[in-house]
Amino acid sequence: MKIRIFDTTLRDGEQTIGVSLSPDQKLAIAKKLDELGVDAIEAGFPVISAGEFKAVKMIAAAGLSCEIAGLTRTIKNDIDAAVDAGLNYIHTFIATSDIHLQYKLKMTREQALEKAIEAVEYGKSRGLQVEFSAEDATRTDREFLKKVFGDVAKAGADRVNIPDTVGYSTPEYMAVLTKDTVEVTKLPVSVHCHNDFGLAVANSLAGIHAGASCAHVTINGIGERAGNASLEEFSMALKCLPFEKKYETNIKSELIYDTSRFISKTVGIIVQPNKAIVGTNAFGHESGIHTHGVLSNPLTYEPISPELVGRKRWLQVGKHAGIHGMNAMLAEYGVKPTEEQSKQILDKVKTLGDAGKQITDVELLSIASDVLGEKELKRIVQLTGFSVSTGIGTMPYAFVKLNIDGQDHIGTDYGVGPVDAALNAIQKITGKISEIRIKDYGLASISGGSSALCEVTVKVEDAFGNKVSAKSVGEDIVTTSVKAVIDAINRIMLKKMLQEKQVR
């Protein structure tokens, strides 16, 4: 059974606190979503601002292969704005729960029903495909909800949608409402679930299993409050979990991670590390028991192959590490310690882990070099001096001193900001030693307040096209950025050096 994916990242997702997208950004995201294979994109709410209208119009005119919808209230002016923006598909809504009717709309049930019917009829008179939503459906009187959906179906609606507006439903109740709606409308039914109780994906799947043919979702599950049902979790659950029926979507799963990263960077919302499918840790392993199992057969501790969603498996060493996982990491660099040396390296790793230190592969190699007595495994690049100056009326300036393979190098440069100046100074030094370029830089806040922690992710590339990523977390943006870049440079230079060693 083919399930329709209606993506509302650009509408409900943009309602995430702190997110505001320009028309050009919205168009870029729409193109990514279209490449991913979504069936419909809710491009925005055309009537709310000139910029939103422009964005929707640009997306509607972009020639994308998926359907493009716009949100409207049950107001003629909203529907006219959607038509003027070039849309031929609207998602129109009015609240139907008593709490919304009494405190927000100041309407009776009969008045809300009348507005719903009028909007559907008017949308159809303008030649539009109309999807109708009964806002706060899961807190609406069940019999009244059936009447609303039945009457808008008679009025000509093409689709109806069941919104769990405040994430209040359980999977069991979502299934009941879905069966009601399918029975009373005989139309394609969508479910639109919020994640206030962490049940958005479960509720969406329950709706599908009960007869819905479409789910409204967002990339990374972004959206108001706790967010919406996550596209990546929902689509991969349909693809991989053992349901009684076989479900399919048009989502190109191998593009999921790339799309997630692109949108995370564009909207400025970091993906939590333990987020299913797209989180940093989703395919990472540290525990010795787990890494041993995964190295023997990945299915022991992974439900799906990471490549299926555009990911790669990675191993981490620390206090929970085991010899098998640690040796597998060392083997990637061509380092093969004896059994006794492995035990010595692991003991040092666990000691650092017990002290609360996170150990990168660069540090692992440095530990291995002490045990094996191979100086070439030492950290190649070390930061020995660093300062920046900036202020009003002066261009940011940075001084960086690096020790590379035992020799000191100094670099200075300016930039549009202190971080830019520091990275420019580093590139001046590395350009003399090895052609290493910073290809990507990402900054995200992972805690609030005046002492907020930031997370910096960088990607560097050498002249041969080898790419390496590194991440650093700290309180100072500039220092954290420099540490991330130095770590990335070490990784790529170590890999290159050890590869050359193996060739010789």
Side-chain angles (χ1 to χ4, degrees):
M1 179 180 176
K2 181 62 71 70
I3 301 302
R4 186 169 178 262
I5 301 295
F6 180 106
D7 186 279
T8 184
T9 301
L10 293 176
R11 200 277 300 170
D12 221 338
E14 196 190 11
Q15 290 174 207
T16 303
I17 291 175
V19 174
S20 185
L21 300 170
S22 70
D24 286 338
Q25 287 175 315
K26 293 192 77 164
L27 178 60
I29 289 174
K31 289 178 177 178
K32 274 285 187 182
L33 294 172
D34 192 44
E35 290 172 11
L36 180 63
V38 304
D39 299 286
I41 293 173
E42 189 165 38
F45 199 162
V47 80
I48 63 169
S49 73
E52 186 79 345
F53 179 87
K54 179 182 178 183
V56 173
K57 191 169 186 176
M58 287 168 62
I59 294 169
L64 303 182
S65 58
C66 62
E67 293 181 285
I68 309 298
L71 186 70
T72 79
R73 294 165 295 182
T74 52
I75 297 172
K76 287 185 178 181
N77 189 50
D78 283 24
I79 297 170
D80 290 337
V83 173
D84 293 342
L87 295 172
N88 56 22
Y89 177 13
I90 60 168
H91 173 210
T92 191
F93 73 97
I94 191 168
T96 52
S97 67
D98 289 338
I99 192 169
H100 274 249
L101 291 173
Q102 181 180 350
Y103 293 102
K104 184 183 76 173
L105 297 180
K106 313 293 185 186
M107 284 184 184
T108 65
R109 290 182 179 182
E110 290 72 23
Q111 288 171 325
L113 178 56
E114 184 179 350
K115 291 280 290 180
I117 292 169
E118 286 177 356
V120 171
E121 290 177 341
Y122 185 66
K124 295 308 296 179
S125 75
R126 298 293 321 256
L128 300 170
Q129 179 187 165
V130 177
E131 180 162 349
F132 172 79
S133 276
E135 186 184 12
D136 206 22
T138 55
R139 293 193 297 176
T140 298
D141 176 82
R142 186 174 163 190
E143 291 305 313
F144 179 57
L145 184 64
K146 286 198 285 187
K147 179 168 178 56
V148 171
F149 280 140
D151 285 0
V152 297
K154 292 173 185 173
D158 299 284
R159 299 176 174 276
V160 291
N161 176 49
I162 306 171
D164 186 22
T165 302
V166 294
Y168 193 71
S169 184
T170 62
E172 293 80 5
Y173 190 57
M174 180 57 73
V176 167
L177 292 188
T178 302
K179 288 175 182 175
D180 281 352
T181 308
V182 170
E183 183 180 343
V184 78
T185 65
K186 305 296 190 295
L187 292 176
V189 173
S190 305
V191 288
H192 178 113
C193 300
H194 281 262
N195 207 38
D196 297 77
F197 285 89
L199 293 171
V201 171
N203 285 333
S204 299
L205 292 170
I208 295 298
H209 194 58
S213 58
C214 174
H216 291 199
V217 294
T218 63
I219 297 293
N220 300 333
I222 62 173
E224 288 192 270
R225 303 181 315 282
N228 290 53
S230 152
L231 179 148
E232 55 277 6
E233 294 173 20
F234 175 76
S235 63
M236 292 311 296
L238 289 180
K239 185 181 182 76
C240 300
L241 296 185
F243 295 103
E244 291 178 8
K245 298 178 184 177
K246 181 174 176 58
Y247 298 108
E248 296 178 354
T249 71
N250 288 323
I251 296 298
K252 301 176 182 69
S253 66
E254 68 278 6
L255 299 181
I256 282 177
Y257 185 62
D258 178 62
T259 307
S260 166
R261 297 296 298 170
F262 177 82
I263 289 172
S264 174
K265 184 176 180 181
T266 304
V267 304
I269 300 292
I270 190 171
V271 175
Q272 66 191 62
N274 62 327
K275 172 78 165 60
I277 309 299
V278 293
T280 301
N281 297 345
F283 296 98
H285 306 273
E286 179 188 324
S287 163
I289 295 171
H290 284 219
T291 53
H292 188 192
V294 164
L295 290 168
S296 299
N297 184 331
L299 289 176
T300 53
Y301 286 103
E302 288 175 352
I304 61 171
S305 165
E307 288 79 13
L308 194 59
V309 291
R311 302 289 306 272
K312 288 185 178 180
R313 179 180 305 107
W314 61 277
L315 305 179
Q316 173 76 44
V317 291
K319 64 189 290 184
H320 305 104
I323 281 182
H324 292 90
M326 183 193 73
N327 283 343
M329 291 180 66
L330 290 171
E332 288 184 18
Y333 293 89
V335 180
K336 297 178 180 179
T338 65
E339 185 176 344
E340 181 57 35
Q341 289 171 332
S342 293
K343 289 178 181 177
Q344 292 178 42
I345 296 168
L346 187 61
D347 285 343
K348 290 177 179 288
V349 166
K350 286 181 178 287
T351 299
L352 289 173
D354 282 335
K357 183 173 177 59
Q358 290 193 351
I359 303 160
T360 67
D361 50 358
V362 175
E363 272 123 10
L364 174 61
L365 285 168
S366 183
I367 293 169
S369 74
D370 289 334
V371 173
L372 273 63
E374 296 186 25
K375 293 182 180 180
E376 63 266 30
L377 295 182
K378 289 280 189 182
R379 178 182 285 270
I380 299 172
V381 181
Q382 297 187 62
L383 181 67
T384 55
F386 167 58
S387 66
V388 292
S389 62
T390 187
I392 297 174
T394 62
M395 194 169 184
Y397 171 82
F399 164 87
V400 176
K401 184 178 180 181
L402 302 179
N403 184 282
I404 301 178
D405 210 13
Q407 294 187 350
D408 288 329
H409 300 267
I410 291 174
T412 61
D413 210 341
Y414 295 91
V416 295
V419 172
D420 186 51
L423 301 190
N424 287 342
I426 291 172
Q427 286 189 289
K428 265 193 172 180
I429 297 173
T430 58
K432 297 175 183 177
I433 311 302
S434 178
E435 289 187 43
I436 297 173
R437 300 177 295 280
I438 299 167
K439 298 293 290 182
D440 196 18
Y441 172 90
L443 170 67
S445 174
I446 58 175
S447 65
S450 58
S451 59
L453 289 175
C454 65
E455 178 187 87
V456 173
T457 305
V458 295
K459 182 180 288 184
V460 302
E461 183 179 20
D462 66 13
F464 303 99
N466 298 312
K467 296 176 183 178
V468 168
S469 296
K471 180 171 67 176
S472 183
V473 175
E475 292 184 357
D476 181 80
I477 292 174
V478 182
T479 304
T480 304
S481 299
V482 169
K483 286 181 177 179
V485 170
I486 297 300
D487 191 36
I489 291 172
N490 268 301
R491 291 184 183 198
I492 204 163
M493 291 182 75
L494 275 167
K495 279 192 172 183
K496 181 181 176 184
M497 182 193 69
L498 290 168
Q499 285 168 356
E500 291 173 349
K501 180 184 175 183
Q502 289 175 30
V503 171
R504 292 198 300 269

